[in-house]
Amino acid sequence: MPRQNSLKIGVSGVRGIIGDSLTPQLVASFSAAFGNYCGAGPILIGSDTRPSAEMIKQAAIAGLLSVGCTPIDVGVVPIPALMLHVREAGAFGGIGITASHNPIEWNALKFIGADGITLRPNQAAELTDLYHQGVYSRVSAQEMTDPRTDGSTLERHRKAVISIVDEARIRDCRFKVVVDCCNGAASIATPAFLRALGCEVLEMNTDQSKPFARDPEPLPENIGALCDLVKKSGADIGFAQDADADRLAIVNENGEPLGEDATVALAVYHWLRHESGPVVVNSATTRMVDDIAQQYGCPVYRTAVGEVHVVERMLECRAVIGGEGNGGVILPVVNPCRDSFVAMALVLEALAQDRVPISELRSRLSRYVMMRDRLLCEPRDIAPLLRLIRNAYQREELDLTDGVKVLWANKWLQVRPSNTEPILRLTAEAPSEAEARSLLSDALEILSPS
Amino acid sequence: MRQLKIGTSWVRGIVGDALTPELVVNFASAFGTWCDGSPVVIARDTRRSAGTLRAATLAGLLSAGCEVIDLGVAPTPVVSFAVREMGVGGGISITGSHNDARWNALKFLGSDGTLLNLVKSEELLDIYHGSKFLLAPWDKLRPVETRSHWLIDRYLQYVLSVLDVDAIRKRQSRVVVDFCNGSCAEITSRFLAELGCTLLPLNEEPSGEFAHPPAPSAANMRQLASLMRCLEADFGAAVNIDGDRIGFVTAHGVALSEEYTLPLTARIRLKRRPGPVVTNFSTSRMVEAVAAGFGQSVIRTSVGESHVIDQGLAEGAVLAGEGSGGVAVLPSAMTFDALLTLGFLLEDLALTGESLASTAADMPQYFMRKRHLPCPPNLVYRVLDRFRAFYADSNPDTTDGIRLSWDDAWLHIRASNTEPILRIIAEAQSLTRADQLMEQAVTFARRAAFGHVEV
């Protein structure tokens, strides 16, 4: 079998294809390096539902044990629940075995520090250095332990999330909810969580033993079946998660997807009514957030795209809430990471508090249309093309946090390089589709004049 | 020096030093490749490092697409039985066996339940060194089966089926067994209960903190021997960590050398089923005397379980064993099996009504001397070659090191399979002769090894 170039060792961890680049040897070595990085202590290991999880997990356990760590296997759990458990239990670190939204032949190690946060870029660089040095401080047999198991992750997480909302008020509403868990890591946790909040739950794709039922990204085009069932069953709301349950998409009572942008906007809208403070989102997130924050007199800070950048900034400025336009909501009082359970709890509480349907809640927020395009681009062309955009719009307000973002009073255009593919991503948001479309076509004209 | 030994059918090393999880993953991947991705049975012993090696072994086997049947903590003979019972591709026993607690090892078993022989081991090593392992794609990965306790039940049924259970039950023996905190306590306790015996256990906690060095030699059975008089038992036994070796102590607390295990088993085995016996060059001549009593011959091979069993199967032997206390009852068992050996002794004592002390006293008396000298691996050949020249007049056998045989004595000098040492064993009808042979060999070894004397 010819080796593809499928191994990615980067800020977000180690990703590769099973049966090809992500070998147990590599995983054992990386885990030994991570054990040395964290120190000899408890390290939690959780996974999503991929069939390769067991093989990868055993390799990780072997590497961790060899350097004197005590791996604690918490089983199949959503990533935010694992991160919370690491922090709450005082573990030295955690390893999440999940390739998130990648296709099923992939798997990955996601490294979590003792603070319950994915390793920051500089920390990840230190870990990678340790790995590449290839010499790990092993312990002798007498200092070795056996791996342990712990089944408390889901309950800890459920309690932590429910503790921030008015549980009784939500329970009183007896919401009828349809969930689509994509047969992912939240397949057991989400129905239990919603039932704890008094909801009547209709489950879709909650069989962990089955492969992913759809493309794991909760985009409108991937959740048609959920929309249909919400409409048919007369449910109050529909929720769709990705495979590791950090992102959430919402479907209204008419079976219409609100778009992943709406998730963070609704969460911010509701939370700022409770607690005011700074909001942090990435530079590609909807303007709705700015409008809402302005209403409450709260500042909005924007970062480069990538969860770790948002979290880092949130900790710096003591933000009360943050997130990303892809459906990721971050509420530091629970957990400094994207958490679809937090998003569900906030949206349900907003419905319970205002006693309105979700479509109405959505209509209170300003309306924008976001449009996207992409341009294939050799890595060497990225900088010159971004310079073209920058020069073309030099009279406008520019934000250079991630690529080039051009801001007007009620619309914006962003051109930025993708973190994962050799393309330029173009995003425009404006009050109308026509305006958004024209922003995009202007930009494309600048980048590749016809 | 980093301690790693790759031998016929196993790889062993000091954990935290040369025996890394990466090495174990590689060997397990190689073994999975050798088995062509078919199912594999594994078990581990009680060592502190067993969890680490188990995880690495699972990762390697799973990545090759093997289904894994995990017996948990279980003796090596049970792995051998389960491999045959399930008709799977092979087995891996994760155990440092008689080595001390710092060590651990993988023992590889083929689909016939025997440790890999020389040829199969070479195949495995070629795959290991070639580093091109079978890598199953995500949809061809198989699960780990841990609900396999029924295989242990089935093994016990099998061992009992080989023995005269009624005769043993009538005798109602009291037996002290020293488990050295290894894998055998639970299974032995069930076994003896079935045989109507009373078990007085010693060091039975499976803690991996070994009360003494695990090899069942007379020196390591001192604690057991000292307790015998107070416990009023019929005899005592010491099993090593993974249940492939056993040694015995009389009711009065005399620790028999582990050399007695094979001839004691031969007494009952050959009575039931006559046939050749295979043992190695370093084992006492006692077994020859027992075999001669039944008109049977003894065939000698290189040292190592896989050698004696491989040869035993080739020669149609009914028993294969070594002076280390490891005995295999061929052809029904395919590995050294301490439990089965214990059962045979119980049966012999039950049928003859004798005590272990009187049975042992029937054996012809030989005096054995064993020594070992540190010997760097790069000097082994030179030292052995000089020995060959030194003893040229005595017609040395060079199958495994240098072995010399006289009417009243023999001398064997060989490199250890498991440690960087030279082993020297002398046995004679008189203690003086044994001492003299040993003295001569040690003096010569020291001079030859360090090159002080031109030979």
PDB file of all heavy atoms in Angstrom, chain A residues 19 24-25 29 52 58-59 62 65-66 104-105 138-139 141-142 144 146, chain B residues 15-16 21-22 26 29 48 51-52 55-56 58-59 63 135-136 138 141 209:
ATOM      1  N   GLY A  19      -4.343   2.151   9.572  1.00  0.00           N
ATOM      2  CA  GLY A  19      -3.859   1.193   8.588  1.00  0.00           C
ATOM      3  C   GLY A  19      -2.843   1.821   7.657  1.00  0.00           C
ATOM      4  O   GLY A  19      -2.369   1.197   6.722  1.00  0.00           O
ATOM      5  N   PRO A  24       0.293   2.171  15.776  1.00  0.00           N
ATOM      6  CA  PRO A  24       0.367   2.089  17.243  1.00  0.00           C
ATOM      7  C   PRO A  24       1.750   2.467  17.768  1.00  0.00           C
ATOM      8  O   PRO A  24       1.862   2.983  18.876  1.00  0.00           O
ATOM      9  CB  PRO A  24       0.043   0.617  17.536  1.00  0.00           C
ATOM     10  CG  PRO A  24       0.234  -0.115  16.256  1.00  0.00           C
ATOM     11  CD  PRO A  24      -0.023   0.868  15.159  1.00  0.00           C
ATOM     12  N   GLN A  25       2.791   2.248  16.949  1.00  0.00           N
ATOM     13  CA  GLN A  25       4.141   2.619  17.376  1.00  0.00           C
ATOM     14  C   GLN A  25       4.229   4.132  17.584  1.00  0.00           C
ATOM     15  O   GLN A  25       4.756   4.621  18.588  1.00  0.00           O
ATOM     16  CB  GLN A  25       5.179   2.192  16.323  1.00  0.00           C
ATOM     17  CG  GLN A  25       5.410   0.694  16.221  1.00  0.00           C
ATOM     18  CD  GLN A  25       4.395  -0.041  15.356  1.00  0.00           C
ATOM     19  OE1 GLN A  25       3.419   0.542  14.870  1.00  0.00           O
ATOM     20  NE2 GLN A  25       4.595  -1.333  15.173  1.00  0.00           N
ATOM     21  N   SER A  29       4.748   6.196  21.191  1.00  0.00           N
ATOM     22  CA  SER A  29       5.840   7.151  21.393  1.00  0.00           C
ATOM     23  C   SER A  29       5.317   8.541  21.743  1.00  0.00           C
ATOM     24  O   SER A  29       5.827   9.197  22.654  1.00  0.00           O
ATOM     25  CB  SER A  29       6.701   7.260  20.132  1.00  0.00           C
ATOM     26  OG  SER A  29       7.370   6.054  19.893  1.00  0.00           O
ATOM     27  N   SER A  52     -11.525   2.324  15.451  1.00  0.00           N
ATOM     28  CA  SER A  52     -10.086   2.230  15.723  1.00  0.00           C
ATOM     29  C   SER A  52      -9.732   2.726  17.116  1.00  0.00           C
ATOM     30  O   SER A  52      -8.564   2.695  17.505  1.00  0.00           O
ATOM     31  CB  SER A  52      -9.309   3.035  14.681  1.00  0.00           C
ATOM     32  OG  SER A  52      -9.795   4.355  14.611  1.00  0.00           O
ATOM     33  N   GLN A  58      -5.094   1.542  23.465  1.00  0.00           N
ATOM     34  CA  GLN A  58      -4.134   0.630  24.092  1.00  0.00           C
ATOM     35  C   GLN A  58      -2.701   1.109  23.853  1.00  0.00           C
ATOM     36  O   GLN A  58      -1.854   1.023  24.742  1.00  0.00           O
ATOM     37  CB  GLN A  58      -4.317  -0.801  23.571  1.00  0.00           C
ATOM     38  CG  GLN A  58      -5.643  -1.442  23.966  1.00  0.00           C
ATOM     39  CD  GLN A  58      -5.832  -1.567  25.475  1.00  0.00           C
ATOM     40  OE1 GLN A  58      -4.883  -1.519  26.245  1.00  0.00           O
ATOM     41  NE2 GLN A  58      -7.074  -1.717  25.902  1.00  0.00           N
ATOM     42  N   ALA A  59      -2.433   1.618  22.665  1.00  0.00           N
ATOM     43  CA  ALA A  59      -1.086   2.126  22.377  1.00  0.00           C
ATOM     44  C   ALA A  59      -0.780   3.327  23.276  1.00  0.00           C
ATOM     45  O   ALA A  59       0.322   3.460  23.815  1.00  0.00           O
ATOM     46  CB  ALA A  59      -0.966   2.500  20.908  1.00  0.00           C
ATOM     47  N   ALA A  62      -0.088   2.149  26.824  1.00  0.00           N
ATOM     48  CA  ALA A  62       1.255   1.564  26.945  1.00  0.00           C
ATOM     49  C   ALA A  62       2.312   2.672  27.058  1.00  0.00           C
ATOM     50  O   ALA A  62       3.196   2.617  27.914  1.00  0.00           O
ATOM     51  CB  ALA A  62       1.546   0.659  25.746  1.00  0.00           C
ATOM     52  N   LEU A  65       1.975   4.449  30.553  1.00  0.00           N
ATOM     53  CA  LEU A  65       2.430   3.614  31.669  1.00  0.00           C
ATOM     54  C   LEU A  65       3.951   3.531  31.696  1.00  0.00           C
ATOM     55  O   LEU A  65       4.564   3.535  32.751  1.00  0.00           O
ATOM     56  CB  LEU A  65       1.846   2.200  31.542  1.00  0.00           C
ATOM     57  CG  LEU A  65       0.370   2.024  31.874  1.00  0.00           C
ATOM     58  CD1 LEU A  65      -0.101   0.627  31.469  1.00  0.00           C
ATOM     59  CD2 LEU A  65       0.103   2.240  33.364  1.00  0.00           C
ATOM     60  N   SER A  66       4.565   3.491  30.512  1.00  0.00           N
ATOM     61  CA  SER A  66       6.017   3.288  30.443  1.00  0.00           C
ATOM     62  C   SER A  66       6.781   4.454  31.041  1.00  0.00           C
ATOM     63  O   SER A  66       7.941   4.314  31.399  1.00  0.00           O
ATOM     64  CB  SER A  66       6.454   3.049  28.996  1.00  0.00           C
ATOM     65  OG  SER A  66       6.473   4.261  28.281  1.00  0.00           O
ATOM     66  N   ILE A 104     -14.213   8.694   8.701  1.00  0.00           N
ATOM     67  CA  ILE A 104     -14.077   7.618   9.690  1.00  0.00           C
ATOM     68  C   ILE A 104     -12.750   6.875   9.626  1.00  0.00           C
ATOM     69  O   ILE A 104     -12.317   6.276  10.606  1.00  0.00           O
ATOM     70  CB  ILE A 104     -15.267   6.647   9.553  1.00  0.00           C
ATOM     71  CG1 ILE A 104     -15.363   5.730  10.766  1.00  0.00           C
ATOM     72  CG2 ILE A 104     -15.175   5.849   8.258  1.00  0.00           C
ATOM     73  CD1 ILE A 104     -16.746   5.370  11.159  1.00  0.00           C
ATOM     74  N   GLU A 105     -12.047   6.901   8.476  1.00  0.00           N
ATOM     75  CA  GLU A 105     -10.772   6.183   8.419  1.00  0.00           C
ATOM     76  C   GLU A 105      -9.667   6.931   9.169  1.00  0.00           C
ATOM     77  O   GLU A 105      -8.593   6.396   9.392  1.00  0.00           O
ATOM     78  CB  GLU A 105     -10.352   5.899   6.973  1.00  0.00           C
ATOM     79  CG  GLU A 105     -10.066   7.118   6.130  1.00  0.00           C
ATOM     80  CD  GLU A 105     -11.309   7.633   5.390  1.00  0.00           C
ATOM     81  OE1 GLU A 105     -12.438   7.361   5.855  1.00  0.00           O
ATOM     82  OE2 GLU A 105     -11.147   8.315   4.361  1.00  0.00           O
ATOM     83  N   ARG A 138      11.807   6.678  30.945  1.00  0.00           N
ATOM     84  CA  ARG A 138      10.947   5.558  31.330  1.00  0.00           C
ATOM     85  C   ARG A 138      11.119   5.291  32.813  1.00  0.00           C
ATOM     86  O   ARG A 138      12.160   5.610  33.391  1.00  0.00           O
ATOM     87  CB  ARG A 138      11.353   4.302  30.577  1.00  0.00           C
ATOM     88  CG  ARG A 138      11.590   4.504  29.107  1.00  0.00           C
ATOM     89  CD  ARG A 138      10.296   4.516  28.345  1.00  0.00           C
ATOM     90  NE  ARG A 138      10.588   4.464  26.909  1.00  0.00           N
ATOM     91  CZ  ARG A 138       9.652   4.508  25.979  1.00  0.00           C
ATOM     92  NH1 ARG A 138       8.373   4.614  26.308  1.00  0.00           N
ATOM     93  NH2 ARG A 138       9.967   4.450  24.702  1.00  0.00           N
ATOM     94  N   VAL A 139      10.134   4.627  33.394  1.00  0.00           N
ATOM     95  CA  VAL A 139      10.296   4.204  34.778  1.00  0.00           C
ATOM     96  C   VAL A 139      10.543   2.701  34.803  1.00  0.00           C
ATOM     97  O   VAL A 139      10.257   1.993  33.836  1.00  0.00           O
ATOM     98  CB  VAL A 139       9.061   4.541  35.631  1.00  0.00           C
ATOM     99  CG1 VAL A 139       8.848   6.038  35.688  1.00  0.00           C
ATOM    100  CG2 VAL A 139       7.820   3.828  35.119  1.00  0.00           C
ATOM    101  N   ALA A 141      10.028  -1.217  36.328  1.00  0.00           N
ATOM    102  CA  ALA A 141       8.799  -1.986  36.550  1.00  0.00           C
ATOM    103  C   ALA A 141       8.198  -1.679  37.916  1.00  0.00           C
ATOM    104  O   ALA A 141       6.974  -1.633  38.064  1.00  0.00           O
ATOM    105  CB  ALA A 141       9.097  -3.476  36.430  1.00  0.00           C
ATOM    106  N   GLN A 142       9.036  -1.441  38.923  1.00  0.00           N
ATOM    107  CA  GLN A 142       8.502  -1.238  40.273  1.00  0.00           C
ATOM    108  C   GLN A 142       7.705   0.056  40.396  1.00  0.00           C
ATOM    109  O   GLN A 142       6.863   0.195  41.272  1.00  0.00           O
ATOM    110  CB  GLN A 142       9.643  -1.248  41.300  1.00  0.00           C
ATOM    111  CG  GLN A 142      10.280  -2.617  41.490  1.00  0.00           C
ATOM    112  CD  GLN A 142       9.268  -3.749  41.638  1.00  0.00           C
ATOM    113  OE1 GLN A 142       8.988  -4.476  40.687  1.00  0.00           O
ATOM    114  NE2 GLN A 142       8.681  -3.894  42.822  1.00  0.00           N
ATOM    115  N   MET A 144       5.755   1.185  38.023  1.00  0.00           N
ATOM    116  CA  MET A 144       4.626   1.160  37.088  1.00  0.00           C
ATOM    117  C   MET A 144       3.317   0.840  37.784  1.00  0.00           C
ATOM    118  O   MET A 144       3.291   0.136  38.776  1.00  0.00           O
ATOM    119  CB  MET A 144       4.871   0.098  36.023  1.00  0.00           C
ATOM    120  CG  MET A 144       5.610   0.659  34.853  1.00  0.00           C
ATOM    121  SD  MET A 144       5.927  -0.615  33.656  1.00  0.00           S
ATOM    122  CE  MET A 144       7.066   0.293  32.620  1.00  0.00           C
ATOM    123  N   ASP A 146      -1.078  -0.030  37.008  1.00  0.00           N
ATOM    124  CA  ASP A 146      -2.003  -0.577  36.026  1.00  0.00           C
ATOM    125  C   ASP A 146      -2.942   0.539  35.590  1.00  0.00           C
ATOM    126  O   ASP A 146      -3.196   1.461  36.352  1.00  0.00           O
ATOM    127  CB  ASP A 146      -2.825  -1.710  36.652  1.00  0.00           C
ATOM    128  CG  ASP A 146      -2.108  -3.041  36.506  1.00  0.00           C
ATOM    129  OD1 ASP A 146      -1.442  -3.232  35.476  1.00  0.00           O
ATOM    130  OD2 ASP A 146      -2.214  -3.874  37.415  1.00  0.00           O
TER     131      ASP A 146
ATOM    132  N   VAL B  15      12.345  -3.902  32.060  1.00  0.00           N
ATOM    133  CA  VAL B  15      11.333  -2.895  31.759  1.00  0.00           C
ATOM    134  C   VAL B  15      11.857  -1.517  32.151  1.00  0.00           C
ATOM    135  O   VAL B  15      12.482  -1.364  33.196  1.00  0.00           O
ATOM    136  CB  VAL B  15      10.040  -3.212  32.535  1.00  0.00           C
ATOM    137  CG1 VAL B  15       9.012  -2.129  32.316  1.00  0.00           C
ATOM    138  CG2 VAL B  15       9.513  -4.568  32.119  1.00  0.00           C
ATOM    139  N   GLY B  16      11.595  -0.535  31.288  1.00  0.00           N
ATOM    140  CA  GLY B  16      12.071   0.814  31.563  1.00  0.00           C
ATOM    141  C   GLY B  16      13.458   1.022  30.971  1.00  0.00           C
ATOM    142  O   GLY B  16      13.953   2.129  30.881  1.00  0.00           O
ATOM    143  N   PRO B  21       7.646   0.130  25.389  1.00  0.00           N
ATOM    144  CA  PRO B  21       6.371  -0.199  24.756  1.00  0.00           C
ATOM    145  C   PRO B  21       6.475  -0.226  23.232  1.00  0.00           C
ATOM    146  O   PRO B  21       5.807  -1.020  22.586  1.00  0.00           O
ATOM    147  CB  PRO B  21       5.427   0.908  25.233  1.00  0.00           C
ATOM    148  CG  PRO B  21       6.280   1.964  25.809  1.00  0.00           C
ATOM    149  CD  PRO B  21       7.550   1.328  26.242  1.00  0.00           C
ATOM    150  N   GLU B  22       7.339   0.614  22.665  1.00  0.00           N
ATOM    151  CA  GLU B  22       7.483   0.613  21.204  1.00  0.00           C
ATOM    152  C   GLU B  22       8.011  -0.738  20.727  1.00  0.00           C
ATOM    153  O   GLU B  22       7.549  -1.283  19.720  1.00  0.00           O
ATOM    154  CB  GLU B  22       8.441   1.728  20.746  1.00  0.00           C
ATOM    155  CG  GLU B  22       7.858   3.133  20.848  1.00  0.00           C
ATOM    156  CD  GLU B  22       8.037   3.755  22.214  1.00  0.00           C
ATOM    157  OE1 GLU B  22       8.428   3.025  23.167  1.00  0.00           O
ATOM    158  OE2 GLU B  22       7.799   4.964  22.366  1.00  0.00           O
ATOM    159  N   ASN B  26       6.052  -3.334  18.384  1.00  0.00           N
ATOM    160  CA  ASN B  26       6.660  -3.857  17.154  1.00  0.00           C
ATOM    161  C   ASN B  26       6.633  -5.383  17.124  1.00  0.00           C
ATOM    162  O   ASN B  26       6.307  -5.983  16.108  1.00  0.00           O
ATOM    163  CB  ASN B  26       8.103  -3.373  17.027  1.00  0.00           C
ATOM    164  CG  ASN B  26       8.179  -1.977  16.451  1.00  0.00           C
ATOM    165  OD1 ASN B  26       7.359  -1.607  15.601  1.00  0.00           O
ATOM    166  ND2 ASN B  26       9.121  -1.185  16.906  1.00  0.00           N
ATOM    167  N   SER B  29       3.090  -6.503  16.632  1.00  0.00           N
ATOM    168  CA  SER B  29       2.720  -6.272  15.232  1.00  0.00           C
ATOM    169  C   SER B  29       3.331  -7.354  14.344  1.00  0.00           C
ATOM    170  O   SER B  29       2.680  -7.880  13.435  1.00  0.00           O
ATOM    171  CB  SER B  29       3.224  -4.914  14.739  1.00  0.00           C
ATOM    172  OG  SER B  29       2.626  -3.867  15.449  1.00  0.00           O
ATOM    173  N   ARG B  48       4.236  -5.920  38.022  1.00  0.00           N
ATOM    174  CA  ARG B  48       3.790  -4.524  37.974  1.00  0.00           C
ATOM    175  C   ARG B  48       3.799  -3.999  36.541  1.00  0.00           C
ATOM    176  O   ARG B  48       3.046  -3.106  36.174  1.00  0.00           O
ATOM    177  CB  ARG B  48       4.710  -3.647  38.828  1.00  0.00           C
ATOM    178  CG  ARG B  48       4.680  -3.994  40.304  1.00  0.00           C
ATOM    179  CD  ARG B  48       3.453  -3.402  40.979  1.00  0.00           C
ATOM    180  NE  ARG B  48       3.546  -1.963  41.097  1.00  0.00           N
ATOM    181  CZ  ARG B  48       4.027  -1.340  42.159  1.00  0.00           C
ATOM    182  NH1 ARG B  48       4.447  -2.025  43.190  1.00  0.00           N
ATOM    183  NH2 ARG B  48       4.064  -0.024  42.196  1.00  0.00           N
ATOM    184  N   GLY B  51       0.607  -4.590  32.975  1.00  0.00           N
ATOM    185  CA  GLY B  51      -0.404  -3.731  32.348  1.00  0.00           C
ATOM    186  C   GLY B  51       0.168  -2.978  31.157  1.00  0.00           C
ATOM    187  O   GLY B  51      -0.486  -2.814  30.127  1.00  0.00           O
ATOM    188  N   THR B  52       1.399  -2.511  31.298  1.00  0.00           N
ATOM    189  CA  THR B  52       2.046  -1.773  30.220  1.00  0.00           C
ATOM    190  C   THR B  52       2.261  -2.683  29.009  1.00  0.00           C
ATOM    191  O   THR B  52       1.949  -2.318  27.872  1.00  0.00           O
ATOM    192  CB  THR B  52       3.415  -1.240  30.690  1.00  0.00           C
ATOM    193  OG1 THR B  52       3.232  -0.560  31.919  1.00  0.00           O
ATOM    194  CG2 THR B  52       4.019  -0.317  29.659  1.00  0.00           C
ATOM    195  N   ALA B  55      -1.061  -3.602  27.242  1.00  0.00           N
ATOM    196  CA  ALA B  55      -1.594  -2.548  26.378  1.00  0.00           C
ATOM    197  C   ALA B  55      -0.814  -2.481  25.070  1.00  0.00           C
ATOM    198  O   ALA B  55      -1.393  -2.375  23.984  1.00  0.00           O
ATOM    199  CB  ALA B  55      -1.562  -1.213  27.112  1.00  0.00           C
ATOM    200  N   ALA B  56       0.520  -2.568  25.171  1.00  0.00           N
ATOM    201  CA  ALA B  56       1.352  -2.490  23.969  1.00  0.00           C
ATOM    202  C   ALA B  56       1.095  -3.705  23.064  1.00  0.00           C
ATOM    203  O   ALA B  56       1.038  -3.582  21.838  1.00  0.00           O
ATOM    204  CB  ALA B  56       2.828  -2.415  24.358  1.00  0.00           C
ATOM    205  N   LEU B  58      -1.697  -5.514  22.935  1.00  0.00           N
ATOM    206  CA  LEU B  58      -3.018  -5.344  22.321  1.00  0.00           C
ATOM    207  C   LEU B  58      -2.941  -4.395  21.134  1.00  0.00           C
ATOM    208  O   LEU B  58      -3.482  -4.673  20.063  1.00  0.00           O
ATOM    209  CB  LEU B  58      -4.011  -4.781  23.347  1.00  0.00           C
ATOM    210  CG  LEU B  58      -4.587  -5.766  24.359  1.00  0.00           C
ATOM    211  CD1 LEU B  58      -5.523  -5.032  25.323  1.00  0.00           C
ATOM    212  CD2 LEU B  58      -5.355  -6.867  23.643  1.00  0.00           C
ATOM    213  N   ALA B  59      -2.262  -3.262  21.331  1.00  0.00           N
ATOM    214  CA  ALA B  59      -2.185  -2.260  20.263  1.00  0.00           C
ATOM    215  C   ALA B  59      -1.562  -2.870  19.008  1.00  0.00           C
ATOM    216  O   ALA B  59      -2.067  -2.696  17.898  1.00  0.00           O
ATOM    217  CB  ALA B  59      -1.391  -1.048  20.741  1.00  0.00           C
ATOM    218  N   SER B  63      -3.677  -3.683  15.604  1.00  0.00           N
ATOM    219  CA  SER B  63      -3.334  -2.915  14.401  1.00  0.00           C
ATOM    220  C   SER B  63      -3.106  -3.839  13.203  1.00  0.00           C
ATOM    221  O   SER B  63      -3.245  -3.429  12.064  1.00  0.00           O
ATOM    222  CB  SER B  63      -2.097  -2.044  14.642  1.00  0.00           C
ATOM    223  OG  SER B  63      -0.924  -2.835  14.689  1.00  0.00           O
ATOM    224  N   LEU B 135      -0.995  -3.856   8.421  1.00  0.00           N
ATOM    225  CA  LEU B 135      -1.718  -2.749   9.046  1.00  0.00           C
ATOM    226  C   LEU B 135      -3.150  -2.788   8.524  1.00  0.00           C
ATOM    227  O   LEU B 135      -3.396  -2.466   7.364  1.00  0.00           O
ATOM    228  CB  LEU B 135      -1.076  -1.413   8.675  1.00  0.00           C
ATOM    229  CG  LEU B 135       0.076  -0.914   9.540  1.00  0.00           C
ATOM    230  CD1 LEU B 135       0.660   0.360   8.957  1.00  0.00           C
ATOM    231  CD2 LEU B 135      -0.380  -0.676  10.973  1.00  0.00           C
ATOM    232  N   ALA B 136      -4.079  -3.193   9.371  1.00  0.00           N
ATOM    233  CA  ALA B 136      -5.458  -3.332   8.928  1.00  0.00           C
ATOM    234  C   ALA B 136      -6.103  -1.958   8.796  1.00  0.00           C
ATOM    235  O   ALA B 136      -5.881  -1.095   9.636  1.00  0.00           O
ATOM    236  CB  ALA B 136      -6.236  -4.173   9.928  1.00  0.00           C
ATOM    237  N   TRP B 138      -9.316   0.743   8.925  1.00  0.00           N
ATOM    238  CA  TRP B 138     -10.225   0.942  10.072  1.00  0.00           C
ATOM    239  C   TRP B 138     -11.374  -0.054  10.105  1.00  0.00           C
ATOM    240  O   TRP B 138     -11.801  -0.476  11.166  1.00  0.00           O
ATOM    241  CB  TRP B 138     -10.775   2.373  10.058  1.00  0.00           C
ATOM    242  CG  TRP B 138     -11.742   2.633   8.925  1.00  0.00           C
ATOM    243  CD1 TRP B 138     -11.419   3.046   7.672  1.00  0.00           C
ATOM    244  CD2 TRP B 138     -13.160   2.468   8.945  1.00  0.00           C
ATOM    245  NE1 TRP B 138     -12.541   3.148   6.906  1.00  0.00           N
ATOM    246  CE2 TRP B 138     -13.640   2.811   7.653  1.00  0.00           C
ATOM    247  CE3 TRP B 138     -14.087   2.094   9.919  1.00  0.00           C
ATOM    248  CZ2 TRP B 138     -14.991   2.765   7.321  1.00  0.00           C
ATOM    249  CZ3 TRP B 138     -15.439   2.044   9.585  1.00  0.00           C
ATOM    250  CH2 TRP B 138     -15.866   2.379   8.292  1.00  0.00           C
ATOM    251  N   LEU B 141     -10.517  -3.720  11.627  1.00  0.00           N
ATOM    252  CA  LEU B 141     -10.031  -3.881  12.996  1.00  0.00           C
ATOM    253  C   LEU B 141     -11.002  -4.750  13.785  1.00  0.00           C
ATOM    254  O   LEU B 141     -12.213  -4.651  13.609  1.00  0.00           O
ATOM    255  CB  LEU B 141      -9.884  -2.517  13.680  1.00  0.00           C
ATOM    256  CG  LEU B 141      -8.837  -1.585  13.077  1.00  0.00           C
ATOM    257  CD1 LEU B 141      -8.801  -0.278  13.857  1.00  0.00           C
ATOM    258  CD2 LEU B 141      -7.465  -2.231  13.076  1.00  0.00           C
ATOM    259  N   GLU B 209       4.706  -8.456  43.791  1.00  0.00           N
ATOM    260  CA  GLU B 209       5.849  -8.188  44.682  1.00  0.00           C
ATOM    261  C   GLU B 209       6.341  -9.550  45.137  1.00  0.00           C
ATOM    262  O   GLU B 209       5.803 -10.125  46.083  1.00  0.00           O
ATOM    263  CB  GLU B 209       5.399  -7.365  45.891  1.00  0.00           C
ATOM    264  CG  GLU B 209       4.799  -6.018  45.549  1.00  0.00           C
ATOM    265  CD  GLU B 209       5.854  -5.066  45.008  1.00  0.00           C
ATOM    266  OE1 GLU B 209       6.972  -5.049  45.547  1.00  0.00           O
ATOM    267  OE2 GLU B 209       5.555  -4.357  44.035  1.00  0.00           O
TER     268      GLU B 209
END
